[in-house]
Amino acid sequence: MATKNKLFLGLFIHSKALNELEYLHDTAVGVDKEGKITIVERDCDEKKARETVLPRLGWKDAEVEVVKAKEGQFFFPGFIDTHIHAPQYPNAGIFGNSTLLDWLDTYTFPLEASLSDLAKARRVYTRVIHKTLSHGTTCAAYYATIDVPATNLLADLCYARGQRALIGRVCMNEPYTSPTNYRDESAEASLAATRASIAHIRTLDPTHTLIQPIITPRFAPSCTFPLLVQLGALAAETALPIQTHISENRAEIALVKTLFPRAVTGAADDSYAGVYDAAGLLTGRTVLAHAVHLTAGEAALVARRGAKVSHCPGSNTALGSGAARVRRLLDRGIVCGLGTDVSGGFSPSVLEAARAAVMVSRHVVFMGEAAPAGGVGEDREREKLSVEEALFLATRGGAEVVGLEERVGRFAVGMEWDAQLVGLGVVGEDGDAVGDEDGGDVDVFGWETWPDRVAKWVYNGDDRNTKMVWVKGRLVHARK
Amino acid sequence: MATKNKLFLGLFIHSKALNELEYLHDTAVGVDKEGKITIVERDCDEKKARETVLPRLGWKDAEVEVVKAKEGQFFFPGFIDTHIHAPQYPNAGIFGNSTLLDWLDTYTFPLEASLSDLAKARRVYTRVIHKTLSHGTTCAAYYATIDVPATNLLADLCYARGQRALIGRVCMNEPYTSPTNYRDESAEASLAATRASIAHIRTLDPTHTLIQPIITPRFAPSCTFPLLVQLGALAAETALPIQTHISENRAEIALVKTLFPRAVTGAADDSYAGVYDAAGLLTGRTVLAHAVHLTAGEAALVARRGAKVSHCPGSNTALGSGAARVRRLLDRGIVCGLGTDVSGGFSPSVLEAARAAVMVSRHVVFMGEAAPAGGVGEDREREKLSVEEALFLATRGGAEVVGLEERVGRFAVGMEWDAQLVGLGVVGEDGDAVGDEDGGDVDVFGWETWPDRVAKWVYNGDDRNTKMVWVKGRLVHARK
């Protein structure tokens, strides 16, 4: 996709470990025409790069595109949104005081159903791809709708715009919970439609350079058990990833217990995770959104199967679902990333999701105070996520959740260049902003350390701070 | 301040009641040269306004400035930030995992102390006034520092820029809790400095058209009891408003119990509210920030005294203070407004505070679930604040908190024109934004109802949606 070799110069920041950011000052990163990082050279300015790095790479000086971060700017890995419903984007912010199950019926299903109108789908999907790219989302795990042509259109648009994506046609055939005008006619029809969408994406991007299909049972209550089982078999057959929801809301959990008794599933217990496990859907390639109310037993099962969790803090608060205890999941070794969960979540920004993750982790502490016997343990402060941890979840964590940890999420030789150039607002001596660019709400006075600047970005940053975005070496967004 | 009579035309939205917004479509609002609303005429376009409204007001057509909200835009009352520390603005977003008391020592006191440098104070205060105005904050209850010249400078800058403000010189003389380089030498010195600042503001704006002083004991632990008593007496003598903090953090509450035994205060109990009451600081003109952990007895005392509460949801979460139960305060008849509490809160935006208030109210529900015996009651869903309620707190509630409910907070004849013009982003048929203006993250597709558009603004809006801002009829901010 990238047409030229590229040389990026300046400050690079990325996650070195869960709670540690690495600051690579005065560094040069070479990215080849395929979008792969070929060199990361520290203590290297443009002169040195041209004199020593380019010759080593065998790149001719005139054929290399040089992108320099200005003073105060930095390169950061692109964000990975591990859970987002593209068709729900027009409802961002529209949910009233509803909770999950009535929210689905009132707001969500009617909008999703309406996107079988391909003109409408094109309008909405074009907007959501532009919007998420502008916020630095270089990779998204999308839920589409049940409609195959509209799902395929979403894949086409992502591919054309250059956003890395997992595209899931939504499977839902349970008449009790799905509206008559918006459900698969049968398990077989659901499976056939899913295969059709997978086939389309394999034609579009045979080697999954950018786009890959993901098997997407909406959530257990939307599917009959035979459908879940067939989707589990399809995942085993195709080695494709799986995404679904789990344990978001207490009423939903009760519904699962009602709909999936052990007599039906043959599971060892009637837990929510147990239902997925019995259907063969709990795998090392499974993305489980929410996981707010997992029992200790379920968390152990999820960890054993190597399934990943998409933490959606904004959505969980907005829909009154609860506060997921991310620290406990991390402590068990469960890989976690962040999801905006538009439109259960109102913001399309993963940076906002990172902010929300920090805030929700503090509310988990308060819940522990409210219920000291609730098992949060004595060291309640440990529940808090730091800025560094939230950014890890937004990048490296997310990459591992969607199975791309060998390709994106950090800057290293062999990784692909999915990145954003971040610029913060600067306050002049007179108290006015320096320069013409809108730095948004991030105001740097000049005396701040780099960790403090990053914190300012996380807490007050928005798309105005995301100046340029690349996926696989290709420039896919530049702020006007 | 306003030099021309003005006629505003279009859609006006404001709070009619706590949970009800009023939508005044096709309305004309006349504002005279003093910034007062002289007429609110419904079903009135420009033609009708010129033909019938202007003659009635005796305003000559050519001398009237006409401001029309474009299709999709609306006028909304200016926001009132009932709690913000102007000198802390450079630390917005910088707090790590600290909690109140170590946050004060680590981040806050050093920065505040440094603003005795008037050049630095001018830079910071210029920025915070610009920033809050750009977010639609037409009135702010500011804490300054202990420094009189810097406090007076803040008043001067607000007056010159045209932001309505309550300006409080911070009183703190308790050696045990205040740093040696940043505290009043004695109660007498604290009182004298406070009087000096009051005198300056009275010279600047004798009739308090825009600026008024507010007596500001930082919080009980920062003050000796004799100082609190003298400040209570000063409030009684001057009839000035009072602002302070209460019951933000559990360690702070424990500290108050230690520092203010009943033997010292002579209070009926050793509660935090009781200390203020014993000092004569709990009045109908008192703004109490936070009130997170008030006991039922304290809430009853606050309600009896008619003191008001500034709810600071963003700050309370960020500093891990707790989740204030606003519904319980409202149910007791305690008047509540919103505070950004910069920089305990990271955002200078009252719209963000409204958003945070909605979110925190949902976490209060979760806390109730965690501790069913905790007294939240059976109807936990009642704890939730709606978009409409949050906007009421941001405008009318805030106006009452700072004692300006007869002058600002809604659109009615006799009120002053403190308002903002709000414009939302519009998505075209092709999925691109319509027009050149940056509509930020609010994307209107066109089929949304007005309440849904307002919700989109509350959840995804930022300063990009605040197109123009007026205080007392004067245009004080216009987005480029």
Side-chain angles (χ1 to χ4, degrees):
Chain A
M1 315 281 278
T3 52
K4 270 190 158 185
N5 293 317
K6 292 188 176 73
L7 191 65
F8 296 90
L9 294 162
L11 169 59
F12 299 73
I13 307 177
H14 66 168
S15 291
K16 193 171 179 184
L18 176 62
N19 203 9
E20 185 183 358
L21 288 172
E22 186 173 41
Y23 295 79
L24 302 168
H25 291 274
D26 303 313
T27 293
V29 171
V31 174
D32 70 14
K33 292 174 185 176
E34 303 302 312
K36 273 207 177 170
I37 296 175
T38 53
I39 197 164
V40 176
E41 186 79 359
R42 302 184 70 158
D43 296 314
C44 182
D45 60 10
E46 184 170 359
K47 183 163 176 289
K48 182 176 166 194
R50 289 191 186 276
E51 287 173 2
T52 70
V53 174
L54 296 190
R56 232 187 303 159
L57 293 167
W59 293 357
K60 287 185 191 152
D61 203 276
E63 290 169 8
V64 172
E65 182 185 338
V66 175
V67 182
K68 281 203 275 194
K70 290 183 210 164
E71 179 71 29
Q73 296 184 332
F74 58 93
F75 297 100
F76 199 81
F79 290 133
I80 293 165
D81 189 344
T82 60
H83 187 69
I84 174 168
H85 294 264
Q88 297 174 15
Y89 178 66
N91 274 351
I94 303 178
F95 54 95
N97 278 349
S98 65
T99 54
L100 179 63
L101 299 180
D102 59 314
W103 169 81
L104 282 170
D105 289 335
T106 308
Y107 299 99
T108 305
F109 290 149
L111 177 60
E112 287 195 14
S114 76
L115 262 67
S116 58
D117 171 348
L118 287 181
K120 187 173 180 181
R122 178 180 291 274
R123 184 182 181 209
V124 170
Y125 292 159
T126 298
R127 191 66 190 155
V128 75
I129 293 166
H130 166 78
K131 183 61 73 172
T132 52
L133 282 175
S134 74
H135 280 281
T137 300
T138 50
C139 177
Y142 284 119
Y143 284 58
T145 65
I146 69 170
D147 191 70
V148 174
T151 299
N152 294 349
L153 177 62
L154 176 60
D156 295 346
L157 292 170
C158 286
Y159 189 76
R161 276 294 270 115
Q163 187 176 48
R164 202 182 288 277
L166 297 88
I167 305 284
R169 193 204 77 95
V170 172
C171 299
M172 45 192 285
N173 74 327
E174 170 56 62
Y176 177 65
T177 55
S178 311
T180 47
N181 70 334
Y182 189 58
R183 68 168 178 248
D184 296 323
E185 278 180 25
S186 63
E188 291 66 33
S190 190
L191 208 77
T194 298
R195 284 189 186 275
S197 178
I198 292 170
H200 174 85
I201 293 166
R202 287 196 164 153
T203 307
L204 175 73
D205 189 359
T207 56
H208 297 173
T209 55
L210 274 186
I211 314 293
Q212 55 179 311
I214 183 165
I215 294 168
T216 306
R218 181 172 208 111
F219 69 152
S222 286
C223 302
T224 60
F225 191 67
L227 174 57
L228 293 179
V229 170
Q230 288 177 55
L231 292 172
L234 181 67
E237 171 200 325
T238 57
L240 285 174
I242 300 161
Q243 62 183 354
T244 191
H245 301 77
I246 195 168
S247 205
E248 178 176 358
N249 161 294
R250 293 190 192 279
E252 168 211 15
I253 295 166
L255 186 59
V256 170
K257 282 212 189 304
T258 306
L259 291 172
F260 298 95
R262 274 184 293 171
V264 166
T265 63
D269 60 51
D270 60 355
S271 77
Y272 203 151
V275 172
Y276 287 140
D277 194 46
L281 288 166
L282 218 55
T283 78
R285 297 183 309 277
T286 302
V287 183
L288 298 167
H290 305 300
V292 174
H293 304 285
L294 285 189
T295 63
E298 285 179 293
L301 175 60
V302 167
R304 253 191 338 268
R305 297 291 184 253
K308 319 295 195 279
V309 166
S310 171
H311 174 45
C312 305
S315 168
N316 295 158
T317 302
L319 293 187
S321 302
R325 294 174 174 183
V326 176
R327 181 70 64 206
R328 287 207 234 175
L329 299 174
L330 293 172
D331 282 351
R332 283 183 183 278
I334 296 173
V335 172
C336 298
L338 295 179
T340 61
D341 192 26
V342 166
S343 68
F346 47 80
S347 171
S349 159
V350 174
L351 192 68
E352 160 68 31
R355 190 150 64 223
V358 173
M359 293 300 121
V360 164
S361 74
R362 281 149 164 79
H363 282 283
V364 170
V365 179
F366 307 156
M367 289 169 62
E369 287 175 357
V376 176
E378 297 211 331
D379 189 7
R380 290 180 195 131
E381 294 290 314
R382 275 199 73 247
E383 303 280 347
K384 286 185 179 176
L385 296 178
S386 66
V387 161
E388 288 78 7
E389 289 175 319
L391 289 174
F392 181 95
L393 298 183
T395 54
R396 287 185 67 169
E400 199 169 347
V401 166
V402 297
L404 293 172
E405 69 275 16
E406 299 298 325
R407 291 171 63 185
V408 298
R410 62 198 173 90
F411 302 126
V413 172
M415 306 286 285
E416 299 178 20
W417 179 254
D418 283 22
Q420 54 187 314
L421 176 65
V422 178
L424 309 177
V426 177
V427 180
E429 288 305 316
D430 57 2
D432 289 336
V434 172
D436 289 336
E437 285 180 34
D438 186 351
D441 269 347
V442 183
D443 272 340
V444 172
F445 283 77
W447 58 68
E448 299 90 343
T449 64
W450 267 108
D452 283 348
R453 289 174 198 214
V454 169
K456 283 193 162 191
W457 174 50
V458 167
Y459 287 118
N460 278 318
D462 60 37
D463 52 311
R464 286 173 285 189
N465 303 113
T466 298
K467 305 298 184 187
M468 303 175 93
V469 181
W470 296 265
V471 174
K472 209 168 182 299
R474 174 182 170 193
L475 182 69
V476 291
H477 174 75
R479 241 193 123 65
K480 281 177 220 162
Chain B
M1 314 281 277
T3 52
K4 269 189 158 186
N5 293 319
K6 291 187 176 75
L7 191 64
F8 296 91
L9 295 162
L11 169 60
F12 298 74
I13 306 177
H14 66 169
S15 291
K16 193 172 179 183
L18 176 61
N19 203 9
E20 185 183 359
L21 288 173
E22 186 172 42
Y23 295 79
L24 303 169
H25 291 275
D26 304 314
T27 293
V29 170
V31 174
D32 70 15
K33 293 174 184 176
E34 303 303 312
K36 274 208 177 170
I37 297 174
T38 54
I39 197 164
V40 176
E41 185 80 359
R42 302 184 69 160
D43 296 314
C44 182
D45 61 9
E46 184 169 0
K47 184 163 174 288
K48 183 178 165 191
R50 289 192 186 275
E51 286 174 3
T52 71
V53 174
L54 296 189
R56 232 188 302 161
L57 293 167
W59 292 358
K60 286 184 193 153
D61 202 277
E63 289 170 6
V64 173
E65 182 185 338
V66 175
V67 182
K68 280 203 276 194
K70 290 184 211 163
E71 178 71 29
Q73 295 185 334
F74 59 93
F75 297 101
F76 199 81
F79 290 134
I80 294 165
D81 190 342
T82 59
H83 187 69
I84 174 167
H85 295 264
Q88 296 174 15
Y89 177 66
N91 273 351
I94 303 177
F95 55 94
N97 279 349
S98 65
T99 54
L100 179 63
L101 300 180
D102 60 313
W103 169 81
L104 282 169
D105 289 334
T106 308
Y107 300 100
T108 305
F109 290 149
L111 177 59
E112 286 193 15
S114 76
L115 262 66
S116 58
D117 171 348
L118 286 181
K120 186 172 181 182
R122 177 179 293 275
R123 184 183 181 209
V124 169
Y125 291 159
T126 297
R127 191 67 190 155
V128 75
I129 293 167
H130 166 78
K131 183 61 73 174
T132 53
L133 281 176
S134 74
H135 279 280
T137 301
T138 50
C139 177
Y142 283 119
Y143 284 58
T145 65
I146 70 170
D147 191 69
V148 174
T151 300
N152 294 348
L153 176 62
L154 176 59
D156 294 347
L157 292 170
C158 286
Y159 189 77
R161 276 294 269 114
Q163 187 176 50
R164 202 182 288 277
L166 297 89
I167 304 284
R169 194 205 77 96
V170 172
C171 299
M172 45 193 285
N173 74 327
E174 170 57 60
Y176 177 66
T177 56
S178 311
T180 46
N181 70 334
Y182 188 57
R183 69 166 178 250
D184 297 323
E185 278 179 27
S186 63
E188 291 64 35
S190 191
L191 208 75
T194 298
R195 285 188 185 276
S197 178
I198 293 170
H200 174 84
I201 293 166
R202 287 196 163 152
T203 306
L204 174 73
D205 188 0
T207 57
H208 297 173
T209 56
L210 274 186
I211 314 292
Q212 55 179 311
I214 183 165
I215 295 167
T216 306
R218 182 173 209 110
F219 69 152
S222 285
C223 302
T224 61
F225 191 68
L227 175 56
L228 292 179
V229 170
Q230 289 177 56
L231 292 173
L234 181 66
E237 171 200 326
T238 57
L240 285 174
I242 300 160
Q243 62 183 354
T244 191
H245 302 75
I246 195 168
S247 205
E248 177 176 358
N249 162 294
R250 293 189 193 281
E252 168 211 14
I253 295 166
L255 187 57
V256 170
K257 284 212 187 302
T258 306
L259 290 173
F260 298 94
R262 274 184 292 171
V264 167
T265 63
D269 60 51
D270 60 355
S271 76
Y272 203 152
V275 173
Y276 286 140
D277 195 46
L281 288 166
L282 218 52
T283 78
R285 296 183 309 277
T286 301
V287 183
L288 298 167
H290 305 299
V292 175
H293 303 285
L294 284 190
T295 63
E298 286 179 292
L301 175 60
V302 167
R304 254 192 336 268
R305 298 291 185 251
K308 319 295 195 278
V309 166
S310 172
H311 174 45
C312 303
S315 168
N316 296 157
T317 303
L319 293 187
S321 301
R325 295 174 174 182
V326 176
R327 180 70 63 206
R328 288 208 233 175
L329 300 174
L330 293 172
D331 283 350
R332 286 184 182 276
I334 296 174
V335 172
C336 297
L338 295 179
T340 61
D341 191 26
V342 166
S343 68
F346 47 81
S347 172
S349 159
V350 174
L351 192 66
E352 160 68 30
R355 190 150 63 222
V358 172
M359 293 300 122
V360 164
S361 74
R362 281 150 164 77
H363 282 283
V364 169
V365 179
F366 307 155
M367 288 169 63
E369 287 174 357
V376 176
E378 298 212 331
D379 189 7
R380 290 180 196 131
E381 293 291 314
R382 275 199 74 246
E383 302 280 345
K384 287 185 180 176
L385 296 178
S386 65
V387 161
E388 288 78 7
E389 288 173 320
L391 289 174
F392 181 96
L393 298 183
T395 54
R396 287 184 67 170
E400 200 170 347
V401 166
V402 297
L404 292 172
E405 69 275 17
E406 300 297 326
R407 291 170 63 184
V408 297
R410 61 197 172 93
F411 302 126
V413 172
M415 306 287 284
E416 298 178 21
W417 179 254
D418 284 23
Q420 54 187 315
L421 176 65
V422 178
L424 309 177
V426 176
V427 180
E429 288 305 315
D430 57 2
D432 289 336
V434 172
D436 288 336
E437 285 180 34
D438 186 350
D441 269 347
V442 183
D443 272 341
V444 172
F445 283 76
W447 58 68
E448 299 90 343
T449 64
W450 267 107
D452 283 348
R453 288 174 198 214
V454 169
K456 283 192 162 192
W457 174 50
V458 168
Y459 288 118
N460 278 318
D462 60 35
D463 52 310
R464 285 174 284 188
N465 303 113
T466 299
K467 305 298 182 186
M468 303 175 93
V469 181
W470 296 264
V471 174
K472 208 169 181 297
R474 175 184 171 192
L475 182 69
V476 291
H477 174 75
R479 242 193 122 64
K480 281 177 220 162

